[in-house]
Amino acid sequence: MSKKPLPRRTNPTLTKLSRALVTSIGLFGVTLGDAYGQQIALLDSGVDPSRGFNIAPGFNYYENTNDTSDVSDREGEGHGTVSVRVASEAFSGEIVPFVVTDGDLTRSNESQVRTARDNALADILGRSNIRVVGFTWGTEGVSGTAAPLMGDLSRGGKVIAILAGNEFGAQPNTLSTSSFNLPGVIIVGATDADGVLLPESNRAGTTAERYVAAIGLPNAGATRGGTSWATARISGIAGAVFLQNPNLTADEVVDVILQSAEDRGAQGTDPVYGRGVILSAEQVLNNVIGPIDVPTDPETPPVTPPSSGGGGGGGGGAAILLVGGALAGAILLSKKSSTKLEKTLVLDSYGRGFQVDLNDHVEINDGAMHLSQFFNAMQHKSINTGFEVPGMKTQVAFSATALADPRVDFIEYFASPGDRGIEPINTNLSLAMTSELSESLAMNAAYQVDPSRELGAIGDLGSHDEFGNSSFLSGTAFDSVLSGFANQADTLSFNYQQRDAKTSYKLGFVSVDQPGAYQQQSLSTILKASHEFSDRGGIALKFGQIEERGSVLGGGASGVLGVEKATTYALDLSGNIKLIDGVSLVANYGVGRTEVESADKSLLKDFSTLSSDWYSVGLIGNNLFRAKDQLGLAWSQPIKIQSGAVNYSVPDSRLSNGDIGFNTERINLSDTNATERNLEAYYRTMLNDKWELGGFVSYRQNPNHVSDFGDDTIVMATLRLWQ
């Protein structure tokens, strides 16, 4: 068996989607309102003014002077200068230095340091541009006691990053343990370059839910460091998250950092590593937390962050979007349109913007055969066993099979375990009932059966005793849109047969309700008139409507490529002529007009009326070369939109005020560069009473009505043991 898959017809697991999203997404680089006005403040020994850092005026509260020059000689640069440098690794905005120490590590100046700290906090409280406060100096006066203004800073919307301390302790310092439960507070431990906690770094202890560790080395070649510079790094990262999305609250920024941490130590949140380690700013800034959202409205969407969890990074998730094959060529596969989705702006659960190629998360419902549907079609009868109700002229049949997700095609069948559609295995129960209400009127009702068996063109032919109606790989060659776009549906029909047995009328209903990943829902109402001219042929005319909820021409009801409702009125003419005994020529032609009501949360807006058509012609032969064989040959054009247009708007930017920018154009849905035509053939024969041999081929020319990706071929042989 071989198949040449089309680009963008992927169907990975949601887990694979999450992994691919996290690894392929890049930070959406935009500048939002007031981004450059945001600042972070560091409480330390000052900063060397000659180093050229992006510094805003602060204050020296240790000496009550405007001179914030670094007075420390730590690391040859000054402790505060190193703190500003490592904070600047992630943060491009202004850093405000507040001097609270003369660099003395003894306790002789503890009172003066504590007074300077509290005065600095009072100053910071009044500065609205300062979004992050970093406690990067760790003597007793700063971190050995509680600070009275911590609650006010928290209520003021500041992120408060506190060094855990370097006392080799199982608990962080007093300032950390007295403040960690305030909104916006994060406690920071220190690691080496590999994310292993430094021996001197205080562990998470009781602050574990708000504790994260970061690299505490002053530079790449250093062998010693501490929680001061780890806190400076986390302060810079917090500031960068605010630049990324200024609309976040302080507690949301802290949650973003904590959820982005890589789990270390005991699994989940633990008293040593807390929530885990942050080894780079990209680990936070490029981490998509929670399911992604594709914005469909220009206004900034509300942020609904997920609840906090244990240690370990978050992962972006995305539902697979199902698009009907009639739409796919124009809006997804043509070169001009497909590029629109390559840089789609998506938002994570915190409203942060990222770019993804949304093409990778789309599956096309193009009528290609899926594995479970194919093997169901090979059953002796569509319903395997049953019974007759005595005295009621009623027969009931049923079938129960354990099948994978019905959208498993041949390629996915050979994928590894865990791929969506292979697991989990579902038990499908099908029921059918036929009741003779009078000599001329019969009722048929069925639950979860193939609707084309009841209302398709080949259903008019005499079934092969062994093989059923037909076994074409696509399963839709002689079908109508009125049968719906799913391989399982509930059907109800009333069939009136005139006394001459030549003419019959049928009123049928087809209900599709699939609550799974695609949430397809549709209801068809069909009137069918059939006439047999002789025992050598007949003709059938079907007219009706199908109302799809949330989708259009076979798409899925979930996702940003859905609609509110689509109503298609269709006329379908089919006929068959018996050429020789056992061989019939079958033909089918249909036209449809679709009215679409756009959905509010969709990228597809303002549909015009859509006109479409489809056709097929073929041969079906039974007992052709030997007893108990069947041959089928079909040439068809699947449903194609011949006229119609839609506004196609893809989010691609964040504006200066935080609103969403869109790339919008009017798409002519008939403007594809080719027409798909399919050639299908099969041959099945019983070798003996138990063994069957089969060969199947399907050739799709210009799949989905575009020629850009070549043709699509399936070849398969089967050997089956009948029980």
Side-chain angles (χ1 to χ4, degrees):
M1 187 198 78
S2 64
K3 181 176 180 180
K4 182 179 180 182
L6 283 175
R8 304 186 183 92
R9 291 184 60 207
T10 58
N11 188 14
T13 64
L14 290 180
T15 301
K16 284 186 177 180
L17 271 174
S18 300
R19 290 200 300 266
L21 197 60
V22 172
T23 56
S24 65
I25 284 181
L27 175 63
F28 194 64
V30 293
T31 301
L32 302 180
D34 200 31
Y36 287 113
Q38 297 183 61
Q39 302 170 333
I40 67 175
L42 299 182
L43 277 63
D44 211 304
S45 61
V47 61
D48 183 350
S50 67
R51 295 295 302 277
F53 297 122
N54 190 17
I55 300 299
F59 196 80
N60 185 334
Y61 279 102
Y62 187 79
E63 296 181 346
N64 290 316
T65 175
N66 289 322
D67 184 6
T68 58
S69 299
D70 197 345
V71 295
S72 169
D73 60 359
R74 295 285 303 277
E75 302 301 322
E77 298 179 75
H79 189 277
T81 301
V82 175
S83 296
V84 170
R85 174 169 58 78
V86 298
S88 298
E89 292 171 357
F91 182 64
S92 60
E94 294 179 325
I95 299 176
V96 185
F98 288 92
V99 180
V100 297
T101 178
D102 62 355
D104 187 356
L105 296 177
T106 69
R107 300 186 60 173
S108 60
N109 60 355
E110 177 183 341
S111 177
Q112 186 175 355
V113 169
R114 183 165 57 250
T115 300
R117 176 201 69 180
D118 293 344
N119 288 336
L121 295 182
D123 190 345
I124 292 169
L125 188 60
R127 301 195 189 197
S128 60
N129 279 354
I130 293 179
R131 306 293 300 275
V132 180
V133 183
F135 289 83
T136 54
W137 183 260
T139 60
E140 290 294 326
V142 172
S143 59
T145 60
L149 291 179
M150 296 297 278
D152 293 331
L153 289 169
S154 173
R155 287 185 291 273
K158 316 289 188 186
V159 169
I160 307 167
I162 307 173
L163 75 173
N166 304 310
E167 291 79 39
F168 299 83
Q171 289 281 358
N173 53 46
T174 301
L175 184 63
S176 299
T177 55
S178 64
S179 308
F180 78 95
N181 57 352
L182 293 172
V185 171
I186 185 168
I187 312 302
V188 186
T191 74
D192 61 17
D194 296 322
V196 178
L197 276 173
L198 297 177
E200 62 268 32
S201 172
N202 290 344
R203 275 40 180 170
T206 57
T207 72
E209 287 290 344
R210 287 299 184 107
Y211 181 102
V212 73
I215 296 175
L217 305 178
N219 52 62
T223 58
R224 298 187 61 184
T227 56
S228 297
W229 297 314
T231 304
R233 284 192 167 89
I234 292 297
S235 298
I237 291 171
V241 174
F242 271 127
L243 292 181
Q244 188 185 47
N245 193 336
N247 296 319
L248 293 180
T249 67
D251 211 37
E252 289 165 353
V253 170
V254 169
D255 206 31
V256 166
I257 296 172
L258 295 174
Q259 292 209 49
S260 301
E262 177 186 329
D263 193 14
R264 292 291 179 94
Q267 185 175 4
T269 303
D270 68 86
V272 177
Y273 281 90
R275 299 290 289 274
V277 300
I278 301 292
L279 297 179
S280 68
E282 289 74 19
Q283 183 178 333
V284 177
L285 300 177
N286 288 0
N287 182 39
V288 182
I289 299 176
I292 63 170
D293 174 55
V294 181
T296 57
D297 192 287
E299 295 183 1
T300 303
V303 175
T304 55
S307 59
S308 299
I320 294 177
L321 307 173
L322 185 69
V323 177
L327 294 177
I331 68 171
L332 295 176
L333 299 179
S334 65
K335 290 181 179 179
K336 182 178 180 181
S337 297
S338 64
T339 57
K340 290 172 66 67
L341 292 182
E342 289 178 357
K343 295 183 178 180
T344 305
L345 169 68
V346 300
L347 307 177
D348 74 354
S349 292
Y350 289 91
R352 298 182 300 159
F354 300 86
Q355 281 184 344
V356 299
D357 185 352
L358 208 60
N359 289 298
D360 293 335
H361 308 292
V362 174
E363 181 180 344
I364 299 170
N365 187 12
D366 55 4
M369 169 59 73
H370 297 280
L371 193 68
S372 61
Q373 182 182 1
F374 171 74
F375 283 113
N376 275 345
M378 293 180 68
Q379 299 293 330
H380 174 67
K381 294 181 180 179
S382 59
I383 303 296
N384 292 334
T385 187
F387 57 90
E388 185 172 345
V389 180
M392 296 182 62
K393 297 182 179 181
T394 298
Q395 290 182 327
V396 178
F398 59 90
S399 171
T401 54
L403 296 171
D405 184 291
R407 296 194 177 280
V408 183
D409 66 19
F410 295 110
I411 297 299
E412 291 157 2
Y413 180 65
F414 292 100
S416 59
D419 283 351
R420 200 169 67 89
I422 302 300
E423 296 177 346
I425 298 297
N426 299 315
T427 298
N428 292 333
L429 176 65
S430 299
L431 296 171
M433 181 184 73
T434 299
S435 182
E436 187 178 333
L437 303 180
S438 69
E439 291 185 1
S440 301
L441 184 63
M443 181 186 73
N444 295 287
Y447 169 77
Q448 293 299 287
V449 299
D450 183 353
S452 65
R453 293 298 182 92
E454 177 71 14
L455 297 159
I458 298 182
D460 296 329
L461 299 179
S463 299
H464 190 288
D465 288 340
E466 204 69 44
F467 301 137
N469 296 320
S470 67
S471 303
F472 290 110
L473 286 179
S474 73
T476 59
F478 293 93
D479 213 350
S480 165
V481 299
L482 294 173
S483 296
F485 297 92
N487 61 8
Q488 284 190 317
D490 303 333
T491 64
L492 174 66
S493 64
F494 297 90
N495 189 55
Y496 177 78
Q497 186 89 30
Q498 289 188 342
R499 292 184 178 181
D500 60 7
K502 297 291 186 180
T503 304
S504 63
Y505 303 94
K506 181 178 290 188
L507 171 64
F509 304 92
V510 178
S511 174
V512 174
D513 187 2
Q514 294 189 336
Y518 305 116
Q519 302 175 28
Q520 284 186 297
Q521 287 186 316
S522 66
L523 177 63
S524 303
T525 304
I526 307 168
L527 290 172
K528 180 179 179 180
S530 303
H531 182 75
E532 295 293 328
F533 297 110
S534 66
D535 60 353
R536 304 197 65 85
I539 191 171
L541 180 66
K542 288 184 288 188
F543 174 76
Q545 74 167 45
I546 175 172
E547 182 177 289
E548 299 175 83
R549 287 287 180 181
S551 60
V552 55
L553 299 179
S558 61
V560 294
L561 297 177
V563 301
E564 183 69 25
K565 181 176 68 173
T567 303
T568 300
Y569 299 91
L571 185 67
D572 195 275
L573 179 65
S574 61
N576 64 87
I577 300 175
K578 186 179 294 185
L579 301 179
I580 59 176
D581 285 344
V583 179
S584 294
L585 174 68
V586 187
N588 185 56
Y589 176 74
V591 294
R593 289 180 64 84
T594 305
E595 302 289 338
V596 183
E597 182 180 336
S598 300
D600 292 335
K601 302 299 182 181
S602 176
L603 304 181
L604 303 177
K605 302 285 188 181
D606 193 19
F607 280 84
S608 67
T609 298
L610 311 181
S611 298
S612 57
D613 68 359
W614 56 93
Y615 66 81
S616 54
V617 61
L619 293 171
I620 304 292
N622 290 313
N623 302 316
L624 192 61
F625 301 112
R626 54 182 296 174
K628 296 183 179 180
D629 75 349
Q630 186 180 71
L631 179 143
L633 180 68
W635 175 255
S636 63
Q637 174 209 290
I639 182 172
K640 182 180 182 182
I641 296 174
Q642 299 294 350
S643 67
V646 65
N647 286 342
Y648 187 28
S649 298
V650 177
D652 64 355
S653 61
R654 293 292 288 269
L655 306 180
S656 59
N657 63 353
D659 287 350
I660 310 299
F662 287 85
N663 177 4
T664 302
E665 65 177 312
R666 188 75 173 168
I667 296 289
N668 183 351
L669 296 176
S670 65
D671 188 18
T672 56
N673 60 12
T675 297
E676 177 180 345
R677 292 184 176 88
N678 301 335
L679 177 63
E680 299 181 73
Y682 71 90
Y683 179 73
R684 300 173 65 183
T685 183
M686 295 297 297
L687 301 177
N688 53 43
D689 291 340
K690 294 292 186 180
W691 288 95
E692 175 206 329
L693 179 66
F696 305 84
V697 62
S698 172
Y699 173 72
R700 299 178 67 198
Q701 182 185 46
N702 307 318
N704 300 296
H705 307 297
V706 295
S707 61
D708 303 53
F709 309 113
D711 300 333
D712 191 4
T713 303
I714 299 174
V715 178
M716 189 174 74
T718 61
L719 181 64
R720 180 172 184 173
L721 174 64
W722 287 84
Q723 298 298 323

